[in-house]
Amino acid sequence: MEPLKNKSNNPLDENKQWMSRLPENLWDIPLYNISIPGSHDSMSYCLDKTSPLEPELPVLLSVLDKFVPCFARAIILRWAKTQALSVTQQLNAGVRYLDLRIAHRPDDPSPVLYFAHGLFTHITVKEAFLEILAWLLANPTEVVMLACRRVQDFTPEHHLHLISSLHSVFGPKLCPKHETPTLRVMWKMGYQVILSYDDVIAQFYDFLWPSVPYWWANTTSVNKLIHYLEERKQEGRPAGGFFVAGLNLTEDFWYIVTHLFGSMKKMTIPKLPVMYLWVQTQHPGKSGDATNIIAEDLIGSDRFVSAVINLNSKLILEKNPSPH
């Protein structure tokens, strides 16, 4: 079976329209039974080095920032930046799940929202949404899942500001949660966005899907990461549809202290080949040990996106068994 490919002059764009190129016998499979590549902390490529620190950072880092800010900020940025490609470049590369950590900057008196991971981004949530909308308009047969995470501590004002921004930007492209989201349904209805929202307020809006479970190993060891994901698979897929296998390593404060001149990139790059091999052994579908969304750091640094997309070839083979 030939891998699913798209032609492009830019190698990073070869999967730009991979959903529209899936064979017709996969158009009626729910998207939570399809293999979908995602990016972890998708907006961290545009962190603002001069922004306030995120309140969740360890106290000792905040103290270090107070006395030697230039040194502290450089360290935080090296470890907090998990993506180098812009959101448009990630979508062009084939990413269809965006992990959006949304927050309110404490130095901004307005209800305007940003993204955060250690630091805050220099672009606003609304600006990013408009960039995503422009991409969707240029690629009308592609479907994107936007996961609005870390919003549980929002004030009612922040929730209303974010939800109204989402609705005003994406409007009729938002797939309601009562639909079974297959490609055929999405294309027929003009839907392009599945929007999950990590707060109970989602139950009051038809276009807000519930929180999507994210399997997070919280380790710097690639072997422990893969062991954790395999254990989660043995427990069975979460109820309710979509879920994410987080194929990303995570440093803690003491790891940073002992690797002051290291970075998330230096920690992750040597371990990508092992992660890539694990991806190739996975399969989509509705069985309990299947994977759905697989998310990684450093999109574009390896063949991860293509590997996740090509898992759908296994579904094609299921639909078209070889004659005996």
Short mmCIF file of all heavy atoms in Angstrom, two decimals, residues 206-248:
data_model
loop_
_atom_site.label_atom_id
_atom_site.label_comp_id
_atom_site.label_asym_id
_atom_site.label_seq_id
_atom_site.Cartn_x
_atom_site.Cartn_y
_atom_site.Cartn_z
N ASP A 206 -23.92 24.62 22.06
CA ASP A 206 -23.97 23.49 21.14
C ASP A 206 -22.68 23.35 20.34
O ASP A 206 -22.33 22.25 19.92
CB ASP A 206 -25.16 23.67 20.18
CG ASP A 206 -25.45 22.40 19.39
OD1 ASP A 206 -25.37 21.31 19.98
OD2 ASP A 206 -25.73 22.50 18.18
N PHE A 207 -21.94 24.44 20.14
CA PHE A 207 -20.73 24.38 19.32
C PHE A 207 -19.46 24.14 20.14
O PHE A 207 -18.36 24.10 19.59
CB PHE A 207 -20.57 25.66 18.48
CG PHE A 207 -20.44 26.92 19.29
CD1 PHE A 207 -19.20 27.37 19.71
CD2 PHE A 207 -21.56 27.67 19.62
CE1 PHE A 207 -19.07 28.54 20.45
CE2 PHE A 207 -21.45 28.84 20.36
CZ PHE A 207 -20.19 29.27 20.77
N LEU A 208 -19.59 23.96 21.47
CA LEU A 208 -18.44 23.66 22.32
C LEU A 208 -18.46 22.19 22.70
O LEU A 208 -19.35 21.73 23.42
CB LEU A 208 -18.45 24.52 23.58
CG LEU A 208 -18.26 26.03 23.40
CD1 LEU A 208 -18.23 26.73 24.75
CD2 LEU A 208 -17.00 26.35 22.60
N TRP A 209 -17.49 21.45 22.20
CA TRP A 209 -17.36 20.04 22.55
C TRP A 209 -16.69 19.93 23.92
O TRP A 209 -15.96 20.82 24.34
CB TRP A 209 -16.51 19.32 21.50
CG TRP A 209 -17.19 19.19 20.17
CD1 TRP A 209 -17.61 20.20 19.36
CD2 TRP A 209 -17.54 17.97 19.51
NE1 TRP A 209 -18.19 19.70 18.22
CE2 TRP A 209 -18.15 18.33 18.29
CE3 TRP A 209 -17.36 16.62 19.82
CZ2 TRP A 209 -18.61 17.38 17.38
CZ3 TRP A 209 -17.81 15.67 18.91
CH2 TRP A 209 -18.44 16.05 17.71
N PRO A 210 -16.94 18.84 24.63
CA PRO A 210 -16.32 18.69 25.96
C PRO A 210 -14.81 18.52 25.86
O PRO A 210 -14.26 18.29 24.78
CB PRO A 210 -16.99 17.43 26.52
CG PRO A 210 -17.48 16.68 25.33
CD PRO A 210 -17.83 17.72 24.30
N SER A 211 -14.17 18.64 27.00
CA SER A 211 -12.71 18.51 27.08
C SER A 211 -12.24 17.20 26.46
O SER A 211 -12.84 16.15 26.65
CB SER A 211 -12.28 18.58 28.54
OG SER A 211 -10.91 18.40 28.67
N VAL A 212 -11.14 17.27 25.71
CA VAL A 212 -10.55 16.09 25.08
C VAL A 212 -9.44 15.55 25.99
O VAL A 212 -8.49 16.27 26.29
CB VAL A 212 -9.98 16.43 23.69
CG1 VAL A 212 -9.24 15.24 23.10
CG2 VAL A 212 -11.09 16.89 22.75
N PRO A 213 -9.56 14.30 26.45
CA PRO A 213 -8.51 13.73 27.30
C PRO A 213 -7.14 13.77 26.62
O PRO A 213 -7.03 13.47 25.43
CB PRO A 213 -8.97 12.29 27.53
CG PRO A 213 -10.44 12.31 27.30
CD PRO A 213 -10.66 13.34 26.24
N TYR A 214 -6.12 14.17 27.40
CA TYR A 214 -4.75 14.24 26.89
C TYR A 214 -3.88 13.35 27.77
O TYR A 214 -3.72 13.61 28.95
CB TYR A 214 -4.24 15.69 26.94
CG TYR A 214 -2.96 15.94 26.17
CD1 TYR A 214 -2.98 16.63 24.96
CD2 TYR A 214 -1.73 15.51 26.66
CE1 TYR A 214 -1.81 16.86 24.26
CE2 TYR A 214 -0.56 15.73 25.96
CZ TYR A 214 -0.60 16.41 24.76
OH TYR A 214 0.57 16.64 24.06
N TRP A 215 -3.33 12.29 27.20
CA TRP A 215 -2.47 11.37 27.95
C TRP A 215 -1.09 12.00 28.08
O TRP A 215 -0.36 12.14 27.09
CB TRP A 215 -2.37 10.03 27.22
CG TRP A 215 -3.65 9.25 27.22
CD1 TRP A 215 -4.79 9.53 27.90
CD2 TRP A 215 -3.92 8.07 26.47
NE1 TRP A 215 -5.75 8.59 27.65
CE2 TRP A 215 -5.25 7.68 26.77
CE3 TRP A 215 -3.19 7.29 25.59
CZ2 TRP A 215 -5.84 6.54 26.21
CZ3 TRP A 215 -3.76 6.16 25.02
CH2 TRP A 215 -5.08 5.79 25.33
N TRP A 216 -0.73 12.37 29.30
CA TRP A 216 0.51 13.09 29.56
C TRP A 216 1.38 12.30 30.53
O TRP A 216 1.00 12.07 31.67
CB TRP A 216 0.18 14.47 30.15
CG TRP A 216 1.35 15.31 30.53
CD1 TRP A 216 2.47 15.54 29.78
CD2 TRP A 216 1.53 16.04 31.75
NE1 TRP A 216 3.34 16.38 30.46
CE2 TRP A 216 2.78 16.70 31.68
CE3 TRP A 216 0.74 16.20 32.89
CZ2 TRP A 216 3.27 17.50 32.70
CZ3 TRP A 216 1.23 17.00 33.92
CH2 TRP A 216 2.47 17.65 33.82
N ALA A 217 2.57 11.90 30.08
CA ALA A 217 3.44 11.04 30.88
C ALA A 217 4.22 11.83 31.93
O ALA A 217 4.63 11.27 32.94
CB ALA A 217 4.40 10.28 29.99
N ASN A 218 4.49 13.10 31.68
CA ASN A 218 5.22 13.96 32.62
C ASN A 218 6.58 13.37 32.96
O ASN A 218 6.93 13.16 34.13
CB ASN A 218 4.40 14.20 33.89
CG ASN A 218 4.98 15.31 34.74
OD1 ASN A 218 5.76 16.13 34.27
ND2 ASN A 218 4.60 15.35 36.01
N THR A 219 7.39 13.11 31.94
CA THR A 219 8.71 12.51 32.14
C THR A 219 9.69 13.01 31.09
O THR A 219 9.28 13.43 30.00
CB THR A 219 8.62 10.98 32.09
OG1 THR A 219 9.93 10.41 32.29
CG2 THR A 219 8.09 10.50 30.74
N THR A 220 10.99 12.94 31.43
CA THR A 220 12.04 13.28 30.45
C THR A 220 12.57 12.02 29.77
O THR A 220 13.39 12.12 28.86
CB THR A 220 13.21 13.99 31.15
OG1 THR A 220 13.74 13.13 32.18
CG2 THR A 220 12.76 15.30 31.77
N SER A 221 12.11 10.86 30.19
CA SER A 221 12.59 9.59 29.64
C SER A 221 11.68 9.11 28.53
O SER A 221 10.47 8.92 28.74
CB SER A 221 12.65 8.54 30.75
OG SER A 221 12.76 7.24 30.21
N VAL A 222 12.24 8.88 27.36
CA VAL A 222 11.41 8.42 26.24
C VAL A 222 10.90 7.00 26.50
O VAL A 222 9.78 6.65 26.09
CB VAL A 222 12.19 8.50 24.91
CG1 VAL A 222 13.34 7.49 24.86
CG2 VAL A 222 11.26 8.29 23.73
N ASN A 223 11.68 6.17 27.20
CA ASN A 223 11.22 4.81 27.52
C ASN A 223 10.03 4.84 28.48
O ASN A 223 9.07 4.09 28.31
CB ASN A 223 12.37 3.99 28.10
CG ASN A 223 13.45 3.70 27.07
OD1 ASN A 223 13.16 3.56 25.88
ND2 ASN A 223 14.69 3.62 27.51
N LYS A 224 10.11 5.71 29.49
CA LYS A 224 8.99 5.84 30.42
C LYS A 224 7.77 6.42 29.72
O LYS A 224 6.63 6.04 30.02
CB LYS A 224 9.39 6.72 31.60
CG LYS A 224 10.38 6.07 32.55
CD LYS A 224 10.72 7.00 33.71
CE LYS A 224 11.70 6.33 34.67
NZ LYS A 224 12.08 7.24 35.78
N LEU A 225 7.99 7.34 28.79
CA LEU A 225 6.89 7.93 28.02
C LEU A 225 6.14 6.86 27.24
O LEU A 225 4.90 6.76 27.31
CB LEU A 225 7.44 8.99 27.07
CG LEU A 225 6.52 9.50 25.96
CD1 LEU A 225 5.31 10.21 26.54
CD2 LEU A 225 7.27 10.43 25.01
N ILE A 226 6.87 6.05 26.52
CA ILE A 226 6.23 5.01 25.70
C ILE A 226 5.57 3.95 26.58
O ILE A 226 4.47 3.47 26.28
CB ILE A 226 7.27 4.40 24.74
CG1 ILE A 226 7.62 5.45 23.67
CG2 ILE A 226 6.75 3.13 24.09
CD1 ILE A 226 8.75 5.06 22.75
N HIS A 227 6.22 3.60 27.69
CA HIS A 227 5.62 2.65 28.63
C HIS A 227 4.29 3.18 29.17
O HIS A 227 3.30 2.44 29.26
CB HIS A 227 6.58 2.37 29.78
CG HIS A 227 6.04 1.42 30.81
ND1 HIS A 227 5.89 0.07 30.58
CD2 HIS A 227 5.58 1.65 32.08
CE1 HIS A 227 5.37 -0.51 31.66
NE2 HIS A 227 5.17 0.42 32.58
N TYR A 228 4.29 4.47 29.51
CA TYR A 228 3.06 5.10 30.01
C TYR A 228 1.95 5.05 28.96
O TYR A 228 0.80 4.69 29.26
CB TYR A 228 3.36 6.55 30.39
CG TYR A 228 2.12 7.39 30.61
CD1 TYR A 228 1.44 7.38 31.83
CD2 TYR A 228 1.63 8.22 29.60
CE1 TYR A 228 0.30 8.15 32.03
CE2 TYR A 228 0.50 8.99 29.80
CZ TYR A 228 -0.17 8.95 31.01
OH TYR A 228 -1.29 9.72 31.19
N LEU A 229 2.27 5.40 27.72
CA LEU A 229 1.24 5.40 26.67
C LEU A 229 0.72 3.99 26.42
O LEU A 229 -0.49 3.80 26.19
CB LEU A 229 1.81 6.00 25.38
CG LEU A 229 2.16 7.49 25.43
CD1 LEU A 229 2.78 7.94 24.11
CD2 LEU A 229 0.93 8.34 25.75
N GLU A 230 1.60 3.01 26.46
CA GLU A 230 1.15 1.63 26.27
C GLU A 230 0.24 1.18 27.42
O GLU A 230 -0.74 0.46 27.20
CB GLU A 230 2.35 0.69 26.14
CG GLU A 230 3.08 0.82 24.80
CD GLU A 230 2.19 0.45 23.63
OE1 GLU A 230 1.39 -0.50 23.74
OE2 GLU A 230 2.27 1.14 22.59
N GLU A 231 0.56 1.62 28.64
CA GLU A 231 -0.31 1.29 29.77
C GLU A 231 -1.69 1.92 29.61
O GLU A 231 -2.71 1.28 29.89
CB GLU A 231 0.33 1.77 31.08
CG GLU A 231 1.42 0.88 31.61
CD GLU A 231 1.81 1.26 33.02
OE1 GLU A 231 1.69 2.45 33.39
OE2 GLU A 231 2.25 0.36 33.77
N ARG A 232 -1.71 3.17 29.17
CA ARG A 232 -2.99 3.83 28.96
C ARG A 232 -3.81 3.13 27.88
O ARG A 232 -5.03 3.00 27.99
CB ARG A 232 -2.79 5.31 28.58
CG ARG A 232 -2.18 6.17 29.67
CD ARG A 232 -3.05 6.18 30.94
NE ARG A 232 -4.39 6.65 30.72
CZ ARG A 232 -4.81 7.90 30.92
NH1 ARG A 232 -3.94 8.83 31.34
NH2 ARG A 232 -6.06 8.25 30.73
N LYS A 233 -3.15 2.67 26.84
CA LYS A 233 -3.86 1.95 25.78
C LYS A 233 -4.49 0.66 26.33
O LYS A 233 -5.59 0.29 25.93
CB LYS A 233 -2.90 1.61 24.64
CG LYS A 233 -2.57 2.78 23.73
CD LYS A 233 -1.47 2.43 22.76
CE LYS A 233 -1.82 1.20 21.95
NZ LYS A 233 -0.70 0.78 21.07
N GLN A 234 -3.78 -0.01 27.23
CA GLN A 234 -4.32 -1.25 27.80
C GLN A 234 -5.57 -0.99 28.64
O GLN A 234 -6.40 -1.87 28.80
CB GLN A 234 -3.24 -1.94 28.65
CG GLN A 234 -2.06 -2.46 27.84
CD GLN A 234 -2.48 -3.36 26.68
OE1 GLN A 234 -3.27 -4.28 26.85
NE2 GLN A 234 -1.96 -3.08 25.49
N GLU A 235 -5.66 0.22 29.19
CA GLU A 235 -6.85 0.58 29.98
C GLU A 235 -8.06 0.81 29.08
O GLU A 235 -9.19 0.87 29.56
CB GLU A 235 -6.57 1.85 30.78
CG GLU A 235 -5.49 1.68 31.85
CD GLU A 235 -5.08 3.00 32.47
OE1 GLU A 235 -5.73 4.03 32.15
OE2 GLU A 235 -4.13 3.03 33.26
N GLY A 236 -7.81 0.98 27.78
CA GLY A 236 -8.91 1.23 26.84
C GLY A 236 -9.07 2.70 26.55
O GLY A 236 -8.73 3.56 27.36
N ARG A 237 -9.60 3.00 25.40
CA ARG A 237 -9.76 4.38 24.99
C ARG A 237 -10.82 5.07 25.85
O ARG A 237 -11.78 4.46 26.29
CB ARG A 237 -10.11 4.47 23.51
CG ARG A 237 -11.38 3.76 23.12
CD ARG A 237 -11.58 3.72 21.62
NE ARG A 237 -11.73 5.05 21.08
CZ ARG A 237 -11.38 5.39 19.84
NH1 ARG A 237 -10.85 4.50 19.03
NH2 ARG A 237 -11.56 6.61 19.40
N PRO A 238 -10.66 6.39 26.08
CA PRO A 238 -11.66 7.12 26.88
C PRO A 238 -13.01 7.12 26.19
O PRO A 238 -13.11 7.10 24.96
CB PRO A 238 -11.07 8.53 26.95
CG PRO A 238 -9.63 8.39 26.62
CD PRO A 238 -9.53 7.24 25.67
N ALA A 239 -14.05 7.18 27.00
CA ALA A 239 -15.40 7.28 26.45
C ALA A 239 -15.61 8.67 25.89
O ALA A 239 -15.01 9.64 26.34
CB ALA A 239 -16.43 7.00 27.55
N GLY A 240 -16.43 8.78 24.88
CA GLY A 240 -16.80 10.10 24.39
C GLY A 240 -16.15 10.52 23.10
O GLY A 240 -16.42 11.62 22.61
N GLY A 241 -15.26 9.68 22.53
CA GLY A 241 -14.76 10.04 21.20
C GLY A 241 -13.30 10.40 21.15
O GLY A 241 -12.42 9.55 21.30
N PHE A 242 -13.00 11.68 20.97
CA PHE A 242 -11.64 12.12 20.73
C PHE A 242 -10.76 11.95 21.96
O PHE A 242 -11.20 12.12 23.09
CB PHE A 242 -11.63 13.60 20.32
CG PHE A 242 -12.29 13.88 19.01
CD1 PHE A 242 -13.57 14.44 18.97
CD2 PHE A 242 -11.66 13.60 17.81
CE1 PHE A 242 -14.19 14.72 17.77
CE2 PHE A 242 -12.27 13.86 16.60
CZ PHE A 242 -13.54 14.43 16.57
N PHE A 243 -9.48 11.65 21.72
CA PHE A 243 -8.49 11.65 22.79
C PHE A 243 -7.10 11.80 22.18
O PHE A 243 -6.90 11.55 20.99
CB PHE A 243 -8.57 10.39 23.66
CG PHE A 243 -8.19 9.11 22.96
CD1 PHE A 243 -6.95 8.54 23.15
CD2 PHE A 243 -9.08 8.48 22.10
CE1 PHE A 243 -6.60 7.36 22.51
CE2 PHE A 243 -8.75 7.30 21.46
CZ PHE A 243 -7.49 6.73 21.66
N VAL A 244 -6.16 12.26 23.01
CA VAL A 244 -4.81 12.58 22.53
C VAL A 244 -3.78 11.73 23.26
O VAL A 244 -3.78 11.67 24.50
CB VAL A 244 -4.47 14.07 22.75
CG1 VAL A 244 -3.10 14.40 22.15
CG2 VAL A 244 -5.55 14.97 22.17
N ALA A 245 -2.90 11.09 22.51
CA ALA A 245 -1.70 10.47 23.07
C ALA A 245 -0.59 11.52 22.97
O ALA A 245 -0.17 11.88 21.87
CB ALA A 245 -1.33 9.21 22.30
N GLY A 246 -0.16 12.02 24.11
CA GLY A 246 0.86 13.07 24.13
C GLY A 246 2.25 12.49 24.01
O GLY A 246 2.82 12.00 24.99
N LEU A 247 2.82 12.55 22.82
CA LEU A 247 4.16 12.01 22.57
C LEU A 247 5.19 13.12 22.80
O LEU A 247 5.97 13.46 21.92
CB LEU A 247 4.24 11.45 21.15
CG LEU A 247 5.37 10.48 20.84
CD1 LEU A 247 5.29 9.24 21.73
CD2 LEU A 247 5.35 10.06 19.38
N ASN A 248 5.14 13.70 24.00
CA ASN A 248 6.02 14.82 24.32
C ASN A 248 6.66 14.61 25.68
O ASN A 248 6.03 14.13 26.62
CB ASN A 248 5.24 16.14 24.31
CG ASN A 248 4.00 16.12 25.17
OD1 ASN A 248 2.95 15.59 24.76
ND2 ASN A 248 4.11 16.68 26.36
#
